[in-house]
Amino acid sequence: MRAYIETFGCTFNKGDSEIMAGILSKEGIRLVETIKDADLIIINTCYVKHPTEHKVINRIKRVQELYPSKPLIVAGCMVEIDPEKLEKIAPRASWIGPHKIHKIYKVVKGAIKGERIKETGSYPIKKVEMPRIRFNPHIHIIQLCEGCLGECTYCCTRFARGKLQSYPISAVKREAEKAIIEGCKELQLTAQDTAAYGRDIGESLPELLNEISSIDDDFRIRVGMMHPRNVLDILEDLIDAFKSEKVYKFLHLPVQSGNNRVLEDMGRGYKVEDFKYIVESFREEIPEMSIATDIIVGYPTEDEEAFQDTCKLLKEIKPNFIHLSKYKHRPRALSSSLKELDFKVVKRRSKIIEEIKSEITIKDNMKLVGTSQKILIVEKGKKGGFIGRTNSYIPVITENADPGSFLKVKINGATNTYLTATPIV
């Protein structure tokens, strides 16, 4: 039996797919890289944004049209967030929710026999030290915890992932050690909110980072997204943990809006001043720190003044990475009861943010032209060359490199999204 897994969404969701692949492989199911070679298809869905929802739905429909005789299993967040729509578009598909991925073989076995199985709902599984097949042999995804402590009014993901469930530092470190022994050079620590890690079990993210950094080898740690509200409680210790040479100087800190009233309406639990304080504190202690942030344009209560506040904040902070989303109602989210702004207004504001983003990032990247950097080569580029990361996690494209190795390069060019370089012999 040959299975094909297609994954949408975040690093955490990719981690779920790797675990499902690992479980199936142990049971004798062969994983294939192309859908046409598969006897069975698994689509691991994301539902965080409206455009992603459309991609997922269209893909599920298309797969059923092209391969009507192949059993289909739908996994991921859509299963828990929008079961009515899923039932409508895929009435014969089996389902498996994010908390039941340990039962993937049961669902696959049933689907092969023509049975339709639904494994959904909450269940406390520990997603560390589970079987796993890495989709990139040089990168190991470690899921620190499932769920979050947030109550963001626009979010539907929390209904799929549930409340915070952290995994013990001892277990996470064992998984990290095993990955390093097996040759991995980048550990991606992921969660819905890494800063919330350990709150429910009396541990903390800084403690975890210190433990993983103590592993004796040359590798890098990428820390995933953090909620500013939870960073404030661990800020000093977190900055100290980030000073390790093994931790990428990369902070993913979504602000979402530069206006305090809108942040309150969003249920974010912090003020713009808090966000700025975190960024300034990191940059003061670690000057090379790169900042990634997320912006939602067009939240229903965002007026023109609030939007201008967001523009001012971005111009002041100058984040190295800006992830932009146009607001759209999501299933079960509290903000869906509000009236959406006119789409033309949202589109105009989005274009303005994109222009600010490009202006900031190209200037930042140009500053690195002519410098020497030690980069970690993580993969082969889809359009040629090899992709590496600087110590600040900025992508670099170079030629003649070996994935999984460190390389000294000279930066010779820059765009608003990546750098180009030549190896230093």
Side-chain angles (χ1 to χ4, degrees):
M1 176 58 60
R2 298 164 300 176
Y4 170 80
I5 301 178
E6 190 167 307
T7 310
F8 290 82
C10 65
T11 305
F12 200 95
N13 222 32
K14 290 175 187 172
D16 280 355
S17 289
E18 289 188 346
I19 290 171
M20 288 190 285
I23 292 170
L24 292 177
S25 182
K26 281 192 74 173
E27 295 291 348
I29 305 289
R30 187 156 67 92
L31 278 298
V32 292
E33 294 185 2
T34 59
I35 197 167
K36 66 180 181 180
D37 293 331
D39 302 307
L40 176 137
I41 301 160
I42 301 168
I43 298 180
N44 192 5
T45 63
C46 174
Y47 226 60
V48 64
K49 299 178 185 178
H50 193 255
T52 312
E53 175 190 336
H54 272 277
K55 284 181 188 176
V56 164
I57 289 171
N58 290 337
R59 184 58 174 159
I60 291 171
K61 288 178 178 178
R62 185 69 174 150
V63 164
Q64 291 175 116
E65 289 170 6
L66 292 174
Y67 308 99
S69 63
K70 295 184 181 185
L72 172 64
I73 297 171
V74 179
C77 290
M78 184 183 185
V79 170
E80 300 291 351
I81 295 168
D82 208 348
E84 295 83 6
K85 190 171 285 184
L86 180 54
E87 185 68 43
K88 187 177 178 180
I89 66 167
R92 296 191 304 275
S94 292
W95 300 1
I96 187 162
H99 299 278
K100 297 291 185 72
I101 59 171
H102 60 297
K103 295 193 174 183
I104 184 61
Y105 181 60
K106 172 190 171 184
V107 178
V108 165
K109 204 163 54 168
I112 292 166
K113 295 176 183 175
E115 300 171 6
R116 188 185 188 208
I117 297 176
K118 294 182 182 179
E119 283 289 349
T120 62
S122 183
Y123 189 83
I125 63 170
K126 191 172 71 172
K127 293 182 178 178
V128 286
E129 300 186 285
M130 291 186 78
R132 184 185 294 269
I133 290 181
R134 301 180 193 100
F135 298 148
N136 182 325
H138 311 292
I139 297 175
H140 187 80
I141 297 169
I142 303 182
Q143 292 149 299
L144 305 184
C145 48
E146 184 111 33
C148 69
L149 297 171
E151 294 182 346
C152 303
T153 58
Y154 53 81
C155 180
C156 65
T157 304
R158 63 194 183 96
F159 299 112
R161 297 292 178 175
K163 292 295 182 185
L164 183 67
Q165 181 199 344
S166 301
Y167 313 134
I169 286 177
S170 56
V172 175
K173 186 178 181 182
R174 282 195 302 271
E175 178 161 324
E177 288 172 330
K178 184 172 183 286
I180 298 302
I181 289 169
E182 292 173 354
C184 292
K185 289 296 181 180
E186 180 174 304
L187 304 178
Q188 296 187 351
L189 308 187
T190 184
Q192 279 70 58
D193 171 17
T194 59
Y197 171 77
R199 295 290 183 92
D200 53 329
I201 58 172
E203 297 181 338
S204 73
L205 180 62
E207 292 172 323
L208 174 65
L209 288 176
N210 291 335
E211 282 294 318
I212 296 178
S213 295
S214 71
I215 298 171
D216 186 22
D217 211 315
D218 195 6
F219 61 93
R220 294 293 178 268
I221 303 165
R222 191 203 74 178
V223 184
M225 185 171 66
M226 302 184 198
H227 194 300
R229 182 186 64 193
N230 294 321
V231 171
L232 288 168
D233 296 334
I234 55 173
L235 183 57
E236 188 176 331
D237 291 338
L238 189 62
I239 292 172
D240 285 342
F242 263 79
K243 289 178 181 178
S244 166
E245 62 179 14
K246 294 176 182 176
V247 180
Y248 279 123
K249 307 306 178 256
F250 170 79
L251 180 70
H252 186 182
L253 194 73
V255 67
Q256 306 299 10
S257 173
N259 178 270
N260 284 333
R261 176 183 54 78
V262 174
L263 287 177
E264 186 175 354
D265 293 342
M266 289 177 167
R268 292 292 285 171
Y270 57 84
K271 294 180 184 271
V272 174
E273 293 76 18
D274 297 323
F275 172 81
K276 289 166 67 173
Y277 175 68
I278 295 168
V279 171
E280 288 161 5
S281 298
F282 264 97
R283 283 178 168 168
E284 185 177 341
E285 292 288 326
I286 310 173
E288 70 269 34
M289 180 67 67
S290 66
I291 306 295
T293 198
D294 298 5
I295 297 292
I296 295 174
V297 172
Y299 187 81
T301 63
E302 180 190 75
D303 56 19
E304 192 61 32
E305 182 183 353
F307 172 68
Q308 290 302 326
D309 285 343
T310 298
C311 295
K312 289 174 191 172
L313 177 67
L314 292 177
K315 290 175 181 177
E316 179 185 349
I317 294 295
K318 294 182 173 59
N320 307 79
F321 305 86
I322 300 171
H323 308 128
L324 179 63
S325 300
K326 299 184 190 78
Y327 176 85
K328 197 78 178 171
H329 288 336
R330 305 305 301 128
R332 298 171 63 185
L334 292 174
S335 61
S336 295
S337 63
L338 303 172
K339 183 181 178 182
E340 287 185 349
L341 299 184
D342 183 271
F343 179 72
K344 290 180 181 177
V345 172
V346 179
K347 189 176 180 181
R348 177 182 63 82
R349 291 178 184 174
S350 177
K351 186 179 178 184
I352 292 169
I353 297 291
E354 286 287 0
E355 290 169 354
I356 293 171
K357 170 184 172 179
S358 293
E359 186 180 340
I360 292 169
T361 51
I362 188 65
K363 282 183 179 178
D364 265 352
N365 287 349
M366 285 299 294
K367 291 175 186 175
L368 293 172
V369 174
T371 66
S372 298
Q373 302 282 336
K374 180 184 177 182
I375 65 173
L376 172 59
I377 305 296
V378 290
E379 61 186 323
K380 192 170 183 179
K382 292 178 182 176
K383 297 180 180 179
F386 295 84
I387 300 171
R389 296 280 183 172
T390 69
N391 199 37
S392 300
Y393 205 64
I394 297 169
V396 181
I397 296 176
T398 189
E399 303 293 331
N400 305 320
D402 295 318
S405 67
F406 288 93
L407 184 67
K408 193 92 179 279
V409 297
K410 185 171 184 179
I411 307 300
N412 58 22
T415 71
N416 61 352
T417 53
Y418 63 89
L419 306 170
T420 57
T422 53
I424 296 173
V425 180

